[in-house]
Amino acid sequence: MIRFGVIGTSSITEEFIRCASLHGEFFLQAVYSRTEDQGRVFADKHGAKNVFTNLEEMAQSNLIDAIYIASPNSLHASQAILFMSHGKHVLCEKPLASNLKEVSLMVEAAKKYQVLLMEALKTTFLPNFQAIKQNIHKIGTVRKFFSNFCQYSSRYDEYKAGKILNAFNPALSNGSIMDIGVYCIYPAVYLFGKPERVSANAIMLDSGIDGAGSIILHYSEMEVIISHSKITNSAAINEIQGETGVIVINKMSTPKQVKIIYRDGSSEELQQDQSNDFMFYEVQEFISLIKNNKFESTINSFQLSLDVIEIMDECRRQIGLRFPADEG
């Protein structure tokens, strides 16, 4: 049994607990919240016995083996390094941190303290995404990848009404590239490696973050064209275009329908038996690695996280988006 603590009491943490609880080796032991009352309500709801309002005390505690971090992006690095320094394994929400410097420090800490660090980017673990990887050779030389994820934020209406919540606050290292675009960049780099160069444009909001934008990852023989947004929805499909066929993907972050349409008009369904409890698969990987005394995933590897955050740093440089975390 792996005893988990969680940082964050938002809907994403609730979904994590729901999916993780399907794994027989997961046990929710502790909750961190800034206030005892809020933490106790959340803990009672999910069956956790312990509530912490001090992160240092939680990290030092022998009650937990691992921590799931779902705090604002700007806090990921400091919190992860704190827990790793006390021998705790860390599953940290995407993006892993604010910038390349922070991710590099996190990776160094994982190696120094010999603990597991993994980015909680669920897409790459899904059976349907792995089916893409296993069958991509069937479409011949890949020339284009159209990757699209546009999701109207539930907090955007409040933003337009004049209330700037965390989701639109650059002090917390947020924005469309960080929160939405990562779902497109990460799978692309996993499949095709680090691009030779990057081009980025954005629609900037008054708060100082990007509300939407486009990115091109340039490779020697192909390109990845990315559309991302926190201020619009999209019904567009995703395509990996090869010279002998195209892989059609209904949704980039959580693909449910995946098929190849060959140049001659024939098609092949690729979708696998896949649960809708999408976060279960990352938990399964994380717990398996701990049980086997491994400190790095071969899927969501350190190098993949480093390459992706470096690309996002470059995109932000091109659109003029800097975070407080970038200073100094």
Side-chain angles (χ1 to χ4, degrees):
M1 193 71 70
I2 306 299
R3 303 169 302 163
F4 276 77
V6 296
I7 298 174
T9 54
S10 65
S11 59
I12 188 65
T13 306
E14 295 209 84
E15 180 64 6
F16 167 78
I17 294 169
R18 186 188 70 79
C19 293
S21 296
L22 300 173
H23 195 292
E25 295 290 328
F26 172 85
F27 183 77
L28 181 62
Q29 180 79 298
V31 170
Y32 168 80
S33 178
R34 286 172 294 178
T35 66
E36 177 76 27
D37 289 345
Q38 183 178 348
R40 176 51 59 194
V41 169
F42 190 87
D44 288 347
K45 180 179 179 180
H46 297 287
K49 293 182 179 180
N50 302 282
V51 174
F52 289 89
T53 57
N54 183 292
L55 283 175
E56 184 75 38
E57 290 178 7
M58 190 179 191
Q60 292 176 359
S61 169
N62 62 5
L63 294 173
I64 63 172
D65 307 303
I67 190 78
Y68 168 73
I69 298 176
S71 54
N73 300 335
S74 59
L75 301 177
H76 287 182
S78 60
Q79 291 176 349
I81 291 170
L82 170 63
F83 278 83
M84 287 189 286
S85 72
H86 289 285
K88 305 301 189 289
H89 304 292
V90 173
L91 178 61
C92 185
E93 267 302 328
K94 57 77 199 163
L96 200 54
S98 300
N99 51 40
L100 178 61
K101 179 181 178 181
E102 289 187 349
V103 173
S104 298
L105 291 173
M106 292 166 75
V107 170
E108 288 174 11
K111 293 177 179 178
K112 177 180 178 180
Y113 298 111
Q114 288 292 284
V115 291
L116 172 60
L117 169 68
M118 194 179 89
E119 189 164 8
L121 196 294
K122 60 193 173 189
T123 308
T124 40
F125 297 113
L126 297 178
N128 283 340
F129 184 81
Q130 287 298 315
I132 295 170
K133 179 187 178 185
Q134 292 159 10
N135 289 277
I136 198 168
H137 66 279
K138 296 179 181 178
I139 64 171
T141 302
V142 174
R143 296 304 188 186
K144 282 187 184 293
F145 180 9
F146 289 102
S147 186
N148 170 71
F149 190 24
C150 300
Q151 181 172 283
Y152 191 92
S153 171
S154 60
R155 296 170 177 83
Y156 187 49
D157 287 338
E158 291 181 84
Y159 172 83
K160 290 190 290 184
K163 185 177 182 181
I164 299 178
L165 300 175
N166 287 358
F168 292 93
N169 185 353
L172 300 179
S173 305
N174 285 322
S176 187
I177 289 172
M178 300 293 282
D179 297 339
I180 298 293
V182 64
Y183 278 112
C184 298
I185 299 169
Y186 207 95
V189 177
Y190 177 81
L191 289 173
F192 304 111
K194 189 176 177 181
E196 296 179 352
R197 60 188 178 91
V198 177
S199 303
N201 290 297
I203 298 168
M204 303 300 291
L205 301 180
D206 291 340
S207 70
I209 69 160
D210 56 321
S214 58
I215 300 166
I216 301 178
L217 308 181
H218 302 270
Y219 296 81
S220 61
E221 296 185 337
M222 63 163 291
E223 61 184 6
V224 178
I225 302 169
I226 292 170
S227 174
H228 61 91
S229 176
K230 294 182 70 169
I231 58 176
T232 59
N233 284 327
S234 173
I237 60 171
N238 302 268
E239 293 185 340
I240 304 176
Q241 298 179 4
E243 292 186 351
T244 60
V246 56
I247 298 178
V248 180
I249 309 158
N250 74 311
K251 186 175 182 180
M252 198 62 252
S253 60
T254 52
K256 291 183 179 180
Q257 288 88 43
V258 182
K259 68 178 179 179
I260 298 176
I261 301 175
Y262 293 101
R263 203 174 61 235
D264 64 5
S266 63
S267 64
E268 179 183 356
E269 299 289 340
L270 298 182
Q271 55 256 27
Q272 306 294 301
D273 183 13
Q274 176 177 288
S275 169
N276 288 329
D277 305 307
F278 300 117
M279 296 180 78
F280 170 81
Y281 296 98
E282 66 189 50
V283 174
Q284 183 179 52
E285 169 79 356
F286 188 75
I287 289 178
S288 175
L289 290 169
I290 293 174
K291 301 290 276 188
N292 287 285
N293 201 35
K294 296 186 181 300
F295 305 130
E296 180 182 4
S297 171
T298 58
I299 298 175
N300 287 10
S301 65
F302 294 156
Q303 192 60 54
L304 179 54
S305 291
L306 289 164
D307 288 346
V308 169
I309 198 67
E310 185 176 355
I311 290 166
M312 293 199 289
D313 279 1
E314 174 59 20
C315 289
R316 290 196 298 110
R317 186 193 69 78
Q318 292 184 21
I319 66 173
L321 173 56
R322 287 189 65 81
F323 299 138
D326 299 322
E327 307 302 331

